[in-house]
Amino acid sequence: MSLELLEEQRESWGSRGGFILAAVGSAVGLGNLWGFPYKLYSYGGGAFLIPYIVALLLVGIPLMILEFSLGHYSQRAAPDAFKGVHKGFEVVGWWGIILGFVIVTYYPVVLAYCFSFLAYSITGMFNGGKLPWAGEGLEGVANAKNFFFQTYLGYHEGMRLGGIRWNIVLPLVVAWLSMYLCIFKGVRLVGKIVWLTVPLPWLMLLILTVRGLTLQGSMQGLAYYLDPVWSELAKPVTWRYAFGQVFFSLSLAFGVMITYASFLHRKSDINNNALIISLADFATSFIAGLAVFATLGGMAFVTQQAGNPVPVENVAEGGPSLAFVAFPYALAQLPYSAYFSFVFFFALITLGIDSAFSITESVLASIVDKTGWHRNIVLPVMSIIGFAFGLIYITKGGLNWLGAIDGFVNGTRGITLLGMLECIVLGWLWRIGTLRRHANSRSDWKVGKWWDYMIRLVIPILLGILFFWQLFEDMNNETGFLRTPQGRWIPENCIGVAVLVLAPVIAIVLSLLKDRRGNIVLPHKEQDLETKARFGGLVALTSALVPTVQYIISLNIDISPSIKNTILWILPIGGAITIVLSSYILEKYNTSTTQASWPARWAGVIATMNVSMFIAAILFDLTGKAEIHEIKTPANHELTGVSYIILAVVFLIIVGGLGWCFYRAIATTSKFDGPQSPDEIGDSEEQQS
Ligand code: PFF
């Protein structure tokens, strides 16, 4: 099937705004409200913004441009988009989709909690403001914890499931039904619904922020959030969390953004959209943090005045505890608590719902693209399966399953590996220049050739470091990883690993199934091009492989540390030489009539991995084993001058960045008086670089 034909048949978003809001809706989710603020607070306060912004600029935004351009170029959901690149890479697309499906089995469960707590808040509103988790002092905090964990979840430690909590079944049905209703009509309706589900949580957050900031004590709360603890920057875990958070928050690596962009109109912008969406996501996270910590500060003040003090550090906990214990408890200490609880849980629902349905839509579109089955059949079946899996997480031990699986899929073991695979497939094994030109030809501003090297080198090396570092830590974990030294299995890790291992296996099976629909045809079908640099490619491959093989052997035999060390250093030296050689071959021979040989491309992949493996090994040696993290907050809880500067810089980045994006969009529209440059420019000029 040709691209033109696809264009005629594929649905599209109603407008540019519809697409931007849908992508923002996917990015802005539960992760912004409970992930970002708590990570900032736990990993160095304002200092955490440095790794976060580094990750956003170096990895997040370039990768979002990559996913948008691939989706838009191929006009197919992730698996087919990768298949268009090369048949063998369909598996990479499915891998992301399957891990995305894993997320969509538990994300609605958290939405279900929100629906329940929303109902409690509404009951409270009609009940003289009485909330079931209200209490006073530290005892009150214990009560609020007890309400969520025992009364609501019936929680027990460990991975034993211990029976379904029937009180959460109906909210889970409501969550799935809401998602279903949002997407069953296709993306055009989604493009309209998001005009509601994106601005509404922003409005709610604004209410909570203004209200939080006007409370007495709010500035002390903000000190916990913003006062920097610079020493945290020296810890690897700070960087790992920053990168992981950027990925999860921008909905990257699971094929969502590829799929969403596949429904984009043929002439729409890519680069500017990616920047707008990334900055909007960052802004939402940061402002959500202001709302949370200002309110916690207000709560600390009120409880102190009442003679039953609850300091911020006694309630600030991550994840579900923040949303279902700390924040509701804090609100309950303040006037109009039921109303503000309603606002908070309504914000969570509207934040989460479009993220949840974005993953559902991307799984759905992948299946529909592959099989040609009708979405009206696939969606209900998928929803029922997703709901059925969700029942696991609403058992008494379900929250532990959720934590374990989320930790693996979203952490450095899942999401970063996928991001790295995406980059090496598109950067080395395919023609990244094609995607750059495709994106540039229709965007309000252009990315330079440096972007190719970000995708080919910088991002895979950075992500590779995080992945291998984690791997080295897991392999050297003194308390064991899959089994303790005493031989006892560690179930949470076994379950996490099982999910991670099963995903590529299922992905392989799916990619082997025959397509019911016509195969996608991207320009530059490799078989039609003359292959160049066969010999040069073999030389490059050898110079990449020899150090790798040496290194792996050296890990498994007994040799003196100095020889081991020498072998380790050959990795980056061989890697650098190979990278230069392969890059040269690719630049020279990937033209409209010729292509670089496969060994030359694979040499680049292996060399990139070698470099990241080397840096990870060095960093692992320097930092030692996995550490138990303790939250360090500054001793004096006053908002310092540095924190005000941090606040100003962040606002400058957000307002300045978004202002620039809008300026470019307006400038381009008035220059061309309509859509950007014609499509053909992007797709047919392989010769110019
Ligand atoms: N970005 C969403 C959040 O921050 O909550 C979560 C998410 C949605 C992750 C879609 C991944 C995804 F594909």
Side-chain angles (χ1 to χ4, degrees):
M1 198 181 292
S2 74
L3 281 174
E4 295 72 45
L5 211 57
L6 268 173
E7 164 65 10
E8 277 164 29
Q9 293 177 353
R10 203 165 182 80
E11 331 171 61
S12 76
W13 302 100
S15 61
R16 178 173 185 179
F19 167 72
I20 292 185
L21 283 181
V24 169
S26 171
V28 170
L30 301 173
N32 297 63
L33 189 49
W34 81 27
F36 181 85
Y38 181 72
K39 280 183 188 142
L40 195 80
Y41 158 75
S42 323
Y43 297 97
F48 183 79
L49 287 167
I50 292 184
Y52 190 84
I53 292 173
V54 167
L56 191 66
L57 294 179
L58 287 188
V59 178
I61 296 167
L63 215 54
M64 173 115 37
I65 295 178
L66 180 77
E67 294 205 352
F68 280 174
S69 35
L70 178 66
H72 189 252
Y73 185 64
S74 61
Q75 295 190 63
R76 290 292 187 106
D80 258 12
F82 276 99
K83 187 177 185 181
V85 167
H86 188 277
K87 200 176 165 350
F89 298 140
E90 187 183 344
V91 64
V92 176
W94 280 117
W95 195 338
I97 293 294
I98 287 159
L99 288 185
F101 184 74
V102 173
I103 296 188
V104 94
T105 61
Y106 65 74
Y107 208 86
V109 169
V110 184
L111 280 177
Y113 300 169
C114 295
F115 275 112
S116 301
F117 275 64
L118 185 81
Y120 292 133
S121 308
I122 295 174
T123 320
M125 279 155 60
F126 293 104
N127 211 356
K130 252 181 81 70
L131 292 169
W133 53 82
E136 267 163 39
L138 286 174
E139 217 174 280
V141 179
N143 280 342
K145 257 190 195 153
N146 199 48
F147 177 76
F148 175 58
F149 285 103
Q150 300 314 327
T151 315
Y152 183 68
L153 291 182
Y155 174 80
H156 64 210
E157 300 273 341
M159 305 302 279
R160 196 169 49 80
L161 292 177
I164 290 179
R165 295 288 295 169
W166 294 103
N167 53 326
I168 318 179
V169 174
L170 182 65
L172 188 60
V173 173
V174 173
W176 270 104
L177 211 59
S178 326
M179 285 156 58
Y180 177 86
L181 290 176
C182 288
I183 55 175
F184 83 107
K185 277 261 186 210
V187 294
R188 196 165 277 270
L189 182 65
V190 171
K192 296 211 171 75
I193 287 176
V194 288
W195 285 94
L196 207 69
T197 55
V198 176
L200 261 183
W202 277 339
L203 180 70
M204 303 288 142
L205 275 182
L206 192 72
I207 295 174
L208 293 173
T209 311
V210 171
R211 141 85 173 206
L213 289 176
T214 48
L215 289 172
Q216 239 181 328
S218 60
M219 289 303 136
Q220 276 92 328
L222 290 190
Y224 283 88
Y225 181 51
L226 289 177
D227 281 357
V229 184
W230 300 111
S231 59
E232 293 293 298
L233 292 185
K235 295 188 184 156
V237 49
T238 308
W239 291 82
R240 280 218 296 253
Y241 275 109
F243 276 77
Q245 177 65 22
V246 164
F247 258 97
F248 183 69
S249 196
L250 294 183
S251 307
L252 295 171
F254 297 118
V256 170
M257 292 304 179
I258 300 178
T259 307
Y260 266 20
S262 76
F263 297 117
L264 251 180
H265 191 271
R266 206 68 202 126
K267 299 206 169 87
S268 24
D269 174 280
I270 287 177
N271 301 346
N272 209 12
N273 283 352
L275 189 57
I276 293 173
I277 291 155
S278 306
L279 287 175
D281 181 69
F282 176 41
T284 313
S285 292
F286 190 74
I287 291 169
L290 294 182
V292 169
F293 279 89
T295 309
L296 293 187
M299 174 276 304
F301 180 82
V302 170
T303 53
Q304 188 169 24
Q305 294 291 304
N308 214 345
V310 179
V312 171
E313 56 265 45
N314 282 57
V315 285
E317 281 181 57
S321 292
L322 180 74
F324 299 102
V325 179
F327 203 78
Y329 170 82
L331 287 177
Q333 306 311 306
L334 302 162
Y336 307 110
S337 52
Y339 293 90
F340 283 102
S341 289
F342 174 84
V343 171
F344 176 66
F345 288 109
F346 194 60
L348 275 176
I349 290 170
T350 43
L351 275 176
I353 194 122
D354 35 19
S355 300
F357 71 59
S358 71
I359 321 181
T360 317
E361 175 63 51
S362 107
V363 181
L364 175 67
S366 304
I367 297 174
V368 169
D369 276 356
K370 171 103 188 170
T371 57
W373 294 337
H374 204 276
R375 55 185 285 140
N376 288 352
I377 296 169
V378 181
L379 180 60
V381 174
M382 231 181 79
S383 303
I384 289 168
I385 296 175
F387 169 79
F389 273 112
L391 295 176
I392 296 176
Y393 308 107
I394 60 168
T395 56
K396 292 181 176 167
L399 192 61
N400 301 323
W401 279 68
L402 196 155
I405 292 178
D406 180 56
F408 273 81
V409 173
N410 279 326
T412 19
R413 303 173 183 100
I415 218 165
T416 41
L417 177 66
L418 275 171
M420 183 171 83
L421 277 177
E422 230 177 276
C423 288
I424 57 178
V425 162
L426 299 172
W428 285 109
L429 301 178
W430 197 51
R431 296 152 174 266
I432 192 67
T434 307
L435 288 183
R436 173 167 50 82
R437 283 185 288 273
H438 178 79
N440 280 347
S441 68
R442 64 206 69 233
S443 292
D444 298 335
W445 48 269
K446 303 183 187 331
V447 287
K449 207 165 169 68
W450 53 267
W451 181 78
D452 295 10
Y453 285 93
M454 299 289 293
I455 301 298
R456 201 179 270 171
L457 282 177
V458 178
I459 301 179
I461 289 180
L462 281 174
L463 299 183
I465 293 170
L466 297 176
F467 176 74
F468 287 117
W469 197 344
Q470 179 77 60
L471 193 72
F472 294 147
E473 273 188 11
D474 290 346
M475 286 184 336
N476 293 286
N477 196 330
E478 272 164 14
T479 51
F481 181 57
L482 292 180
R483 297 176 87 156
T484 62
Q486 292 76 35
R488 200 177 55 80
W489 290 102
I490 304 175
E492 53 275 29
N493 288 353
C494 294
I495 290 167
V497 170
V499 170
L500 285 191
V501 171
L502 264 178
V505 173
I506 300 174
I508 292 173
V509 173
L510 286 174
S511 64
L512 290 177
L513 296 180
K514 216 169 131 44
D515 268 19
R516 291 289 195 85
R517 262 178 148 193
N519 272 346
I520 178 169
V521 180
L522 294 185
H524 312 297
K525 280 227 92 167
E526 309 274 293
Q527 60 266 38
D528 303 335
L529 306 173
E530 190 189 346
T531 302
K532 291 278 191 183
R534 286 213 166 87
F535 179 71
L538 282 177
V539 173
L541 191 60
T542 315
S543 74
L545 271 177
V546 170
T548 325
V549 174
Q550 271 183 339
Y551 177 65
I552 292 172
I553 294 175
S554 79
L555 287 180
N556 294 301
I557 55 171
D558 228 4
I559 43 172
S560 80
S562 66
I563 300 181
K564 244 187 188 161
N565 212 18
T566 316
I567 291 177
L568 178 67
W569 278 89
I570 296 174
L571 273 182
I573 297 168
I577 296 170
T578 314
I579 285 171
V580 172
L581 191 59
S582 302
S583 303
Y584 174 76
I585 296 176
L586 260 62
E587 292 301 328
K588 187 155 185 240
Y589 294 115
N590 274 350
T591 68
S592 54
T593 49
T594 61
Q595 58 172 327
S597 65
W598 280 97
R601 302 171 193 207
W602 279 100
V605 174
I606 295 164
T608 314
M609 293 299 96
N610 283 353
V611 173
S612 41
M613 202 150 56
F614 165 77
I615 302 175
I618 297 283
L619 287 172
F620 175 67
D621 263 6
L622 286 177
T623 53
K625 314 277 174 293
E627 34 188 311
I628 306 239
H629 183 73
E630 251 179 61
I631 297 177
K632 287 214 180 76
T633 52
N636 111 38
H637 291 298
E638 290 297 327
L639 206 58
T640 61
V642 183
S643 302
Y644 280 107
I645 297 176
I646 291 175
L647 207 57
V649 171
V650 171
F651 275 109
L652 201 72
I653 294 177
I654 293 169
V655 176
L658 283 174
W660 184 78
C661 291
F662 290 126
Y663 163 73
R664 293 304 303 230
I666 294 166
T668 316
T669 315
S670 53
K671 202 155 117 203
F672 287 108
D673 194 31
Q676 291 101 15
S677 13
D679 197 31
E680 298 70 47
I681 299 176
D683 299 336
S684 59
E685 43 26 293
E686 191 64 28
Q687 45 286 17
Q688 39 170 304
S689 71

